[in-house]
Every structure is written in C-alpha cells, then in structure tokens.
Amino acid sequence: MSTAIVQRIVYGLLLLIAVITLNFLLIQLAPGDVVDVLLTEAGGGDPAVAAQIRAAYGLDQPVYVQLLTYLAKMLTGDLGYSYYFDEPVLSLLLDALPATVMLVLSALLLAMVIGTLLGVIAALRPQGLSSHIVTVLSLLGYATPVFWLGMMVLLLFSQYLPWFPAFGMRTIPMPETPLARALDVLHHMVLPTFTLSILYLASYSRLSRASMLDVLGSDYIRTARSKGLAEYVVIFKHALKNAALPIVTIAGLQVGSVFSGAVLVETVFSLPGVGPLLYESILRRDYPVMLGVLFGAAVTTVVANIITDLVYRVLDPRIRGIS
Amino acid sequence: MSEAQEPTVPPVRFDDPADVPEVRWRVTAAMFYGNKAAVLGIAVLAAILLVGLFGPLLLQADPFAIVGAPLTAPGELRPLGTDYLGRDVLAGMIHGTRPTLIVALSATAFTVVIGLSVGAVAGFYGGRIDNLLMRITEFFQVLPPLVFAMVIVAIMGAHFMTVIIAIGVTTWTNLARLTRAEFLKIKEREFVLADRAIGVRDSRLILRVLLPNALPPLIIAVTLQTGLTIIYEAALSFLGLTDPDIMTWGKMIGLSRDFFFDAWWSVTFPGLAILLTTLCIALIGDGLNDAFNPRLRGR
C-alpha cells in the first residue's frame, strides 16, 4: 500500500513539473517580457539599458536554460514577484488560498452529505416525490450559471431579506472574542457555500440515487433483510457503504471544477480568495500572479486527488493490495 | 501492395429486425419525439435560435446605444428596464443572442474535434499511444478549467477566437475519456474484427465502423457539453474576458455587476435567458438519454 502512495506522490510531482513547464510556455507566448513592462512603467528607456536588465534577469540565455532556471525557482517555492501588488507571489497565494480551499471543501462536503441523503431517500421510493425533486434539482443544477445564482441569492437573502452580509468574510471592526469571530466568519460564508454547493448537490443526489438502486437490488441486501436486520441498518450500514464508492471517486474528480466555481463565487461575494486575486492580476496584466494562481490551483487538485486515492483505499479493501 | 480497390464489405444479415441500424435509429427517434419535455426543449430552443437569427432585423436598435435614464425599472416603454448607462436590457438580450450562441457553438465544435480525435486514437491504437494520450489528458484535468481559460484569454488577448480556443483547450478531456472507453468496448466485437481481417484501412475503421457504433453516448455527451459551454462562455464574459466589440448575455451580467443591488432587472433577465437556453438543452439531453437507453429510464 505504501509503495502505491509513494508512486502516486511521485506522479503528482511530475504533473506539477509539467504545469510549471506549461506556465513557462505561456510566458513565452505573452507579448513582451518583464523588461518591456518595467521600461513602460518607467516611461521608456534606451536599448542598452534594456539589454543590461535582460542580462541581469537571465533573459539573454537560451530558452532551455531559462526553462531549467524557472523550474528550479518554482520548485524551491520562488513563484516570482508581483509588479502590481509589490509582494512575492508566494505570499499573495498563501494569503488567498486558505479562504478558497475552505470554500471548496465546505461546499463539497455540504453537497456530498445532503446530496447523498437525498439520493438515498429517492432510491427507496423510485417513483416518489423525492425522486422528482432529485430530477428537477439535477436539471437546474446543470443549467444555472453559478455567478448568476450567487447574485440572485444576494438579492433575495441579503437585500430583500437582510439576513446575511453581502460582501467579504468578516465584519470590520472584528468582534472581540474568538468565538464571536468564528461565528462572524461562518455567517459570512453561509451564502457563498450554499451557492457553490447547490450545483454539485444535484449531481451527487442523482449519482447516489443510481448507485443505491444498483446496490439495493443485490443478493446480500436481501440476505441482510431476511435475517431480520432493522431497515436503517440495511440501508446505511450495508447498502450505502458500497454505494458510496462512486461518490468518493466523483468528489475527487470534481475538485478542479469546484475550484473554478469557487473563483466565480468569490468574485461575486468579494471573498478574499484566489478568485479576486486572479481577477485583479488579469486586469493589471500581472503575469507572475496569474501563473502563480494557475500553479496553486494545480497543486490543490493534485493534493486532492492523492487524498481521494487514500480515502478510496480505506473504503474499498479490494484495491488495498494492488498498486 | 498493388490492390487499389477498397475491399467491399459483404451485406450483413440480421436475425432480429430490431438489430438493423435503420430500425434502431427509427425506434430511438420515435421514443425521443414521444418525450414531451424533450420536444418542449426543442421547440423553445428553436424559438431562441429564431430570435438569434431574425431578432436584430426586427429590432434594429444598437445594444450599446444609450436610450434613456440609467437604471430605469421595467415599464411600458422599456419592458425590461435599462442598465447603469441607460442601455435597453431587452435590446441587449435580443442582440446578444446571436453572438452568445455563435461563440458557444463554435467552442463546442472545437471541444468535440479535440476530444473525439484524442479519444478515438487512444482507444483504437491502445498501447503506448494510449498511455501517452491518457497522461496528457490527466495533465489537463489537473488544471481547473476556468482558471486555465482565464489565463489563456488574458495572455492571448480578449478576442472571440481566443475565447473559443481557451474553452476548447480546457474542456475536451471528458469527451476524450468517453470516446476512448466506447472505442475500447467496441473494437473487440466480431464485426470490427471481421473488417480488420479483410484489410479495411485504419482511418476507415475509425470513421466508418467504430465511430457510428459509438455515437449514442457521444451524441448525449455533446448535447450536454453544448449547454455547459454556454454557461462557461457566460462566466468568461462575466469576468470581462470577452471580445469588447460583441454583446453577450454573460457580458451584460458582468457589466451590471456593481449596480445589481440598484437594478435587479439588469442582471436577472440576461441570466434567465442563459438559464432557459441551457434548461432546454438539458431536457433534450435527458430525452436523448431515455431514447437511447430505454432500460435505464429514470436513472
């Protein structure tokens, strides 16, 4: 089992090296280079100075040398420097990522728990009301643009019914006790989490419904029932345990997509995550920050995939021995 | 090799009439048209397409023109109100239909071309080629699609071609995996082996034998992908990553973002247009799913 995990991690690192290489190629694609930006901001400069700066930055080296230098820098955590924010990209990312990861995780968890429950209830009555709710939800979940849903939620629950704050993650000035501060953050996160999770809730409910219908038809469920086990034990202990496997797989695969959704939701709700950071950096043509965010997003997905793999191994003893 | 002639495939005899491809497709079509929700989806989508085609001719207003006081609520003169610059929301929506649909359809076409080619080649040839292509697919799956697309458009410049490229480059992986899985399933079947045995060329095998047999799940997937692309393009437009010269529904929402608490109509109606379009596509997708897999109905 441990060799399989090591393999998985090594593979993840290789993927990240590929992402860094892609970032490098994207920089090459961009019109102009750092020196052009610097000189434009300084109001122009003569070619000799430009050449001097290029040499100082190593931009006169052959492309492959530049790529190796870039790889070495990125892998040691030096993600470059932001022209606009006047701060290292790494510290900008470390400031912004926790809020995003928190949003992604809480939305995914909420969607998984409620979606799975809804799916289980629907599977018990395939033609009942809950099944219709699942169908309608999955239609709407597929068809609704998340950023628009966020605005509608704000209009309804922040303007028309002033129950939740509209912007940011904290009240300023901050409440004094740590408990009040935590509750304050929670209060701010309700609407964004709800908005982001409702789209995925639909796909989980549909998936868990189909998965449960499959499992409920199998022989061991009939055996469990015939030995007189309580219905809830059969459903939650015997059936759901097996039906949960595809749900875990999908959750792992969806992290990238949820991350994309989080970028939009953060922009709508003005949360201090990577969404607004990316948006700002695009407006300012701040390439190191943009590419830093892309790299940070890739790291998040790779880590999430490895964790999903581990969870899957714990849940499914059949694949534990296989690398 | 001196033979210039393509070997001819002998006609196949079917024992069960339901196995004849023409009959199968006719049964599927009958099932699809018997599905009321799917037919409603087709009808409304057709109406939206007509608005996209002829709307600008009937309502010759400039969607960028200032026609009244800013932030006017919906009323008799302006049925859907005006935005923060006094532009007519209804005119924007009608004129925005065509660009929105053109960008979304072209981007979907691009996604389909990449996804089908990668998946077909990987599934058909297998071995090292498959391994390499699947590694590349996994690499693209590590990058959150919207973030990647935003960076591409930001670096290549906001133009409708770059938006199409960005969407295609970031969304082909699911289709590639599906196509590969279908090809792997079909390529060992007897009729494919028979065609191989009589020396049918690879390209002909892929395009004329495997692809038609893999079509049902692919048609469903492409339909659903079209809806996702509409939302995806709207998200990019909403973030301002769109051609400055065209009006799209997503852009209308994005432009009014800072004013939506004062003018709910300026974001609500363009969003409803997106929702209605994708909802129709979802209904059509569900209808196709039921028609192709009658046994899985309701799953």
Side-chain angles (χ1 to χ4, degrees), chain B residues 255-275:
Chain B
L255 290 176
S256 296
R257 201 180 115 207
D258 293 334
F259 306 91
F260 80 99
F261 276 124
D262 304 313
W264 57 269
W265 54 86
S266 59
V267 298
T268 305
F269 294 120
L272 282 177
I274 299 172
L275 180 61

Side-chain angles (χ1 to χ4, degrees), chain A residues 11 142-143 148 159 209 285 301, chain B residues 138 142 154 224 261 267 278 298:
Chain A
Y11 183 53
Y142 161 85
W148 180 76
Q159 193 189 34
R209 179 170 175 271
R285 307 249 153 247
T301 327
Chain B
E138 276 162 26
V142 162
L224 293 178
F261 276 124
V267 298
T278 47

Side-chain angles (χ1 to χ4, degrees), chain A residues 18 33 44 48 50-51 73 76 89 92 107 121 150 214 232 249-250 257 274-275 299 315:
Chain A
D33 59 10
K73 270 173 63 179
T76 50
V89 174
L92 284 170
I121 298 170
D214 268 350
Y232 74 90
T249 317
I250 293 296
S257 149
V274 295
V299 172
L315 282 181

Side-chain angles (χ1 to χ4, degrees), chain B residues 108 112 116 175 178 217-227 281:
Chain B
T108 311
V112 170
L116 284 193
L175 267 179
L178 181 68
L218 292 180
I219 290 175
I220 298 168
V222 170
T223 307
L224 293 178
Q225 187 62 46
T226 312
I281 293 173

Side-chain angles (χ1 to χ4, degrees), chain B:
Chain B
M1 290 282 208
S2 58
E3 49 163 12
Q5 216 180 354
E6 184 71 26
T8 46
V9 184
V12 189
R13 288 249 231 62
F14 294 98
D15 296 331
D16 183 352
D19 282 342
V20 181
E22 288 81 42
V23 173
R24 224 171 53 207
W25 285 94
R26 229 181 298 140
V27 170
T28 302
M31 281 209 66
F32 181 78
Y33 288 118
N35 183 330
K36 279 183 199 137
V39 172
L40 180 72
I42 294 245
V44 177
L45 195 62
I48 295 171
L49 287 176
L50 285 179
V51 169
L53 274 176
F54 302 112
L57 296 174
L58 298 175
L59 190 95
Q60 287 179 331
D62 176 5
F64 288 99
I66 294 166
V67 294
L71 307 178
T72 311
E76 254 173 58
L77 185 61
R78 307 272 160 226
L80 302 184
T82 63
D83 72 358
Y84 67 104
L85 284 180
R87 294 178 292 207
D88 191 271
V89 173
L90 181 62
M93 279 169 63
I94 290 176
H95 282 261
T97 309
R98 196 189 294 176
T100 304
L101 294 180
I102 288 179
V103 173
L105 290 179
S106 328
T108 311
F110 191 39
T111 305
V112 170
V113 168
I114 307 177
L116 284 193
S117 319
V118 172
V121 170
F124 183 77
Y125 290 105
R128 276 207 195 135
I129 297 177
D130 178 34
N131 212 338
L132 176 72
L133 287 176
M134 281 303 108
R135 295 293 170 211
I136 294 175
T137 310
E138 276 162 26
F139 167 68
F140 274 88
Q141 281 182 323
V142 162
L143 302 158
L146 185 73
V147 177
F148 190 19
M150 284 169 78
V151 172
I152 294 177
V153 177
I155 284 178
M156 292 172 63
H159 183 267
F160 75 89
M161 278 311 289
T162 57
V163 173
I164 291 170
I165 292 173
I167 296 177
V169 165
T170 53
T171 54
W172 56 272
T173 51
N174 285 340
L175 267 179
R177 284 177 168 273
L178 181 68
T179 311
R180 172 178 176 269
E182 286 302 312
F183 270 47
L184 284 178
K185 243 193 276 172
I186 300 169
K187 80 170 177 187
E188 301 300 333
R189 300 255 297 269
E190 282 92 350
F191 63 90
V192 182
L193 295 179
D195 279 354
R196 253 187 220 271
I198 59 170
V200 176
R201 267 182 290 120
D202 284 358
S203 59
R204 194 183 158 89
L205 265 180
I206 292 179
L207 291 174
R208 305 293 289 275
V209 180
L210 285 163
L211 191 59
N213 282 287
L215 269 185
L218 292 180
I219 290 175
I220 298 168
V222 170
T223 307
L224 293 178
Q225 187 62 46
T226 312
L228 292 179
T229 309
I230 290 176
I231 294 177
Y232 197 14
E233 186 279 327
L236 284 173
S237 293
F238 166 75
L239 293 166
L241 292 164
T242 170
D243 201 309
D245 297 330
I246 57 176
M247 186 59 91
T248 64
W249 296 333
K251 188 194 228 171
M252 293 178 73
I253 303 175
L255 290 176
S256 296
R257 201 180 115 207
D258 293 334
F259 306 91
F260 80 99
F261 276 124
D262 304 313
W264 57 269
W265 54 86
S266 59
V267 298
T268 305
F269 294 120
L272 282 177
I274 299 172
L275 180 61
L276 187 66
T277 313
T278 47
L279 206 54
C280 289
I281 293 173
L283 290 176
I284 297 170
D286 266 12
L288 288 172
N289 201 15
D290 288 348
F292 281 123
N293 312 302
R295 259 164 284 160
L296 291 181
R297 256 190 126 149
R299 285 283 173 101

Side-chain angles (χ1 to χ4, degrees), chain A residues 1-24:
Chain A
M1 179 169 170
S2 57
T3 48
I5 295 167
V6 172
Q7 274 177 357
R8 203 69 194 73
I9 293 174
V10 169
Y11 183 53
L13 278 177
L14 287 177
L15 279 175
L16 290 181
I17 289 177
V19 172
I20 298 172
T21 312
L22 172 83
N23 271 358
F24 181 77

